[in-house]
Amino acid sequence: MTEHWWQAAVIYQIYPRSFQDTNADGIGDLAGIERRLDYLAGLGVDAIWISPIYPSPMADFGYDVADYCGIDPRFGTLADFDRLLGAAHARGLKVLLDLVPNHTSDRHPWFVESRASRDSPKRNWYLWRDPAPGGGPPNNWISDFAGPAWEWDEPTGQYYYHAFLREQPDLNWRNPAVRAAMYDVLRFWFDRGVDGFRIDVLWHMIKAADFPDNPPNPAYQPAMADMYRVIQQYSADQPEVHEIAAEMRAIADSYGTEGRGERVLIGEIYLPVERLMHYYGRERAGVHLPFNFQLIEAPWRARALAWLIAEYETALPAGGWPNWVLGNHDRPRIASRCGQAQARVAAMLLLTLRGTPTLYYGDELGLGDVEITATDVQDPRELREPGLGFGRDPVRTPMPWDDSPNAGFSAARPWLPLNPDWRSRNVAAMAADPQSILALHRRLLAVRRAHPALSVGDFVLLDAEVDVLAYERRRGVERLIVALNLGGRPQRLELPRWAGGYRPLLSTAADPARIADGAVALAADEGVILAAG
Ligand code: GLC
Ligand code: CA
């Protein structure tokens, strides 16, 4: 079997505003990431994905790009980026950028030109439509950030479409000129040596050509976000989107394949599993990894997780490589979803499932969602739909490095508040404590590296009691067992006959599970990896 680097790799997501500030403006920067590369290499991850760093008015904190081939001065310069890339590569770390091709900033020169007049050569680069016959927006599409997805442009008498903020007009991906321009962006960064991209909202990129109304959502309730009033049947996940993924893949592949400079594409796609699988593409010529967000959305129960893992593994197309995500900059953190004790079990799950894991910065510290007071709110989503729990500031707070002022993140007041427990929950303190969740992550990453069965091996679910999730990972002659107790009471797991003599290789608990009479005794909230003794 040929192994590609991105199959065994662990990806670490950095939200650059919040990782490390070096010039005392309270905002993280590229020099800060560079300063912390040794930490990342020591942690044991293989690649970093950096959320957008391009010039941006920051209406959506970088997901509104005003220049795809530059660096926002808040983060540094292109020279800083090249230095960071070189320093990462020198440590064996790959670097993935965030590509935001669905929409630009409304300040991007392309949009400024497009909106200038109806006969602008770039008019057709965006989605301009006349009002509906009786007046008003062309259809009933709703922005993912609430309200109509159409913005009226008085001077030219048309509406433009924006799936997110009005400051984020959607590009017209049916226009070959748009494709060519964005493909040049991929080449620009690949030529600099970037190892791949995470592609923002890939499933949004093509809309039904005739813009029909979306059907109303019968399950909608007022406590839900406004976007759920309708089902996004025509505004997303259209068949032609797969052409784009394949074209991007061809460009990535032209830079190298199989062990020789290979580049990787990861698509952000929130869809049911069977729809998601199409993004691997025909003959696997779509994105390498369509992000699998099942764990982010799952209830934290052993049977539910076993079911969704089985569902996902079964749905994978032949040759499709799995991937798993526990947290990101848009969703509640795992420690807040399942508590500190289970966050350790979750780490073991993430790092022992078959497929490429993505680890969100701070989750290795068990960082929780930080309460943000109304005056501190930054996220446009929270500002537009306050109090519903969709705000993303709580999961974007600064990385706490030590117990010096501002947790060593910045010499100035950080752009978002620190976690209240930063004096103890920080990298320096936890690195010194062998029982910390940070130390557990280091051990898990080391064990994973030492036992390829845990990354690229086969996966088989084992029978277990209701609160236990257990599986085998096997590669060649090596067979490992992972047993996770998702409950707060001790549990027993009968071991398969072939696992006689197996011993704990790594436990989430200080005192590892005992094995007796062909069964393993798991403490409450304990996860354990077992190997031949
Ligand atoms: C993606 C990003 C999110 C952003 C949105 C619009 O979902 O992860 O942070 O707000 O796209 O670009
Ligand atoms: Ca800074």
Side-chain angles (χ1 to χ4, degrees):
M1 161 186 170
T2 319
E3 270 156 36
H4 304 263
W5 68 261
W6 46 270
Q7 290 185 293
V10 176
I11 299 167
Y12 184 97
Q13 182 189 354
I14 292 177
Y15 196 69
R17 289 182 76 87
S18 292
F19 203 57
Q20 174 70 65
D21 177 23
T22 58
N23 63 347
D25 61 358
I27 296 172
D29 41 52
L30 295 182
I33 299 175
E34 188 183 346
R35 185 190 289 177
R36 297 299 185 179
L37 286 176
D38 285 333
Y39 164 75
L40 296 169
L43 182 61
V45 298
D46 305 278
I48 56 175
W49 145 37
I50 312 174
S51 284
I53 50 178
Y54 316 105
S56 164
M58 302 287 168
D60 190 19
F61 294 108
Y63 286 96
D64 48 324
V65 178
D67 171 7
Y68 288 93
C69 297
I71 300 291
D72 191 281
R74 276 162 281 217
F75 295 126
T77 62
L78 262 180
D80 292 333
F81 177 77
D82 289 340
R83 221 185 33 246
L84 168 61
L85 186 63
H89 284 168
R91 288 163 178 79
L93 292 167
K94 309 271 188 193
V95 177
L96 313 182
L97 287 185
D98 208 316
L99 185 72
V100 191
N102 176 70
H103 44 268
T104 68
S105 161
D106 61 345
R107 316 272 181 82
H108 194 294
W110 297 342
F111 187 72
V112 172
E113 196 181 334
S114 183
R115 116 184 277 178
S117 84
R118 285 203 187 201
D119 347 291
S120 153
K122 292 225 167 37
R123 187 68 170 179
N124 197 26
W125 280 43
Y126 291 83
L127 300 168
W128 292 97
R129 307 289 288 179
D130 291 333
N139 67 23
N140 70 350
W141 294 2
I142 296 173
S143 155
D144 282 18
F145 291 163
W150 295 95
E151 180 71 11
W152 175 244
D153 183 60
E154 183 64 41
T156 59
Q158 282 190 311
Y159 285 89
Y160 68 84
Y161 176 71
H162 56 90
F164 296 90
L165 300 173
R166 69 163 71 90
E167 293 89 347
Q168 294 169 294
D170 280 44
L171 283 161
N172 175 13
W173 273 86
R174 293 180 187 274
N175 181 345
V178 168
R179 295 192 186 198
M182 199 62 76
Y183 297 159
D184 282 345
V185 171
L186 273 95
R187 293 189 190 96
F188 175 85
W189 294 105
F190 280 149
D191 286 337
R192 292 194 107 79
V194 161
D195 300 290
F197 291 98
R198 173 266 192 187
I199 305 170
D200 192 64
V201 297
L202 176 58
W203 86 112
H204 269 280
M205 288 178 65
I206 292 271
K207 347 295 172 187
D210 48 350
F211 295 87
D213 273 354
N214 275 326
N217 177 6
Y220 173 76
Q221 283 168 21
M224 294 180 171
D226 194 42
M227 61 178 282
Y228 297 118
R229 283 176 190 279
V230 296
I231 294 169
Q232 296 189 335
Q233 186 169 328
Y234 299 110
S235 51
D237 194 29
Q238 299 301 297
E240 299 93 328
V241 72
H242 300 293
E243 280 167 27
I244 298 172
E247 286 167 7
M248 290 184 172
R249 174 63 177 266
I251 294 168
D253 283 351
S254 74
Y255 281 84
T257 46
E258 297 195 4
R260 299 172 66 245
E262 186 177 15
R263 318 296 166 102
V264 67
L265 298 179
I266 306 174
E268 185 204 20
I269 302 143
Y270 284 95
L271 284 176
V273 167
E274 73 279 5
R275 305 289 319 161
L276 179 67
M277 294 304 164
H278 294 287
Y279 288 77
Y280 282 102
R282 216 171 280 146
E283 288 165 23
R284 309 297 77 79
V287 293
H288 301 76
L289 301 172
F291 258 148
N292 167 18
F293 293 125
Q294 282 182 305
L295 291 180
I296 271 193
E297 294 172 338
W300 202 251
R301 290 195 308 269
R303 291 283 68 79
L305 292 179
W307 192 87
L308 72 81
I309 294 165
E311 180 201 28
Y312 178 77
E313 283 274 358
T314 309
L316 274 174
W321 184 249
N323 75 90
W324 299 95
V325 183
L326 268 183
N328 65 27
H329 62 296
D330 294 327
R331 298 293 168 119
R333 285 196 183 262
I334 185 66
S336 289
R337 280 188 283 134
C338 70
Q340 285 301 326
Q342 281 296 320
R344 300 172 69 95
V345 176
M348 184 170 276
L349 175 71
L350 176 71
L351 296 173
T352 60
L353 280 173
R354 191 175 83 99
T356 307
T358 300
L359 176 61
Y360 185 48
Y361 88 98
D363 280 356
E364 76 273 35
L365 306 177
L367 209 62
D369 295 355
V370 177
E371 208 181 304
I372 307 291
T373 57
T375 47
D376 282 339
V377 170
Q378 305 275 346
D379 180 18
R381 183 150 197 209
E382 178 67 22
L383 292 169
R384 292 174 58 85
E385 290 187 282
L388 289 182
F390 300 117
R392 299 167 298 176
D393 295 326
V395 309
R396 297 175 173 180
T397 59
M399 182 77 168
W401 293 100
D402 54 40
D403 63 2
S404 70
N406 304 315
F409 164 72
S410 174
R413 183 166 186 260
W415 76 289
L416 280 176
L418 291 163
N419 48 307
D421 53 353
W422 65 273
R423 283 181 198 278
S424 54
R425 192 176 299 285
N426 65 60
V427 170
M430 297 178 103
D433 171 7
Q435 297 312 327
S436 70
I437 189 170
L438 174 58
L440 174 67
H441 275 87
R442 287 198 173 132
R443 286 197 294 273
L444 276 167
L445 286 158
V447 163
R448 181 187 159 88
R449 197 177 294 268
H451 299 269
L454 289 174
S455 51
V456 297
D458 294 339
F459 174 93
V460 185
L461 272 171
L462 300 176
D463 285 336
E465 297 297 318
V466 70
D467 276 345
V468 176
L469 175 61
Y471 44 89
E472 178 196 348
R473 301 299 315 277
R474 183 209 289 223
R475 183 167 177 270
V477 294
E478 184 168 42
R479 302 175 83 168
L480 300 174
I481 291 176
V482 180
L484 308 172
N485 183 357
L486 274 76
R489 264 178 269 159
Q491 294 287 345
R492 245 174 81 86
L493 173 73
E494 297 289 339
L495 294 175
R497 205 152 329 136
W498 53 262
Y502 269 43
R503 292 280 165 269
L505 180 64
L506 177 56
S507 169
T508 62
D511 180 18
R514 275 171 296 273
I515 297 184
D517 306 328
V520 53
L522 294 163
D525 302 310
E526 179 179 10
V528 65
I529 304 173
L530 303 170

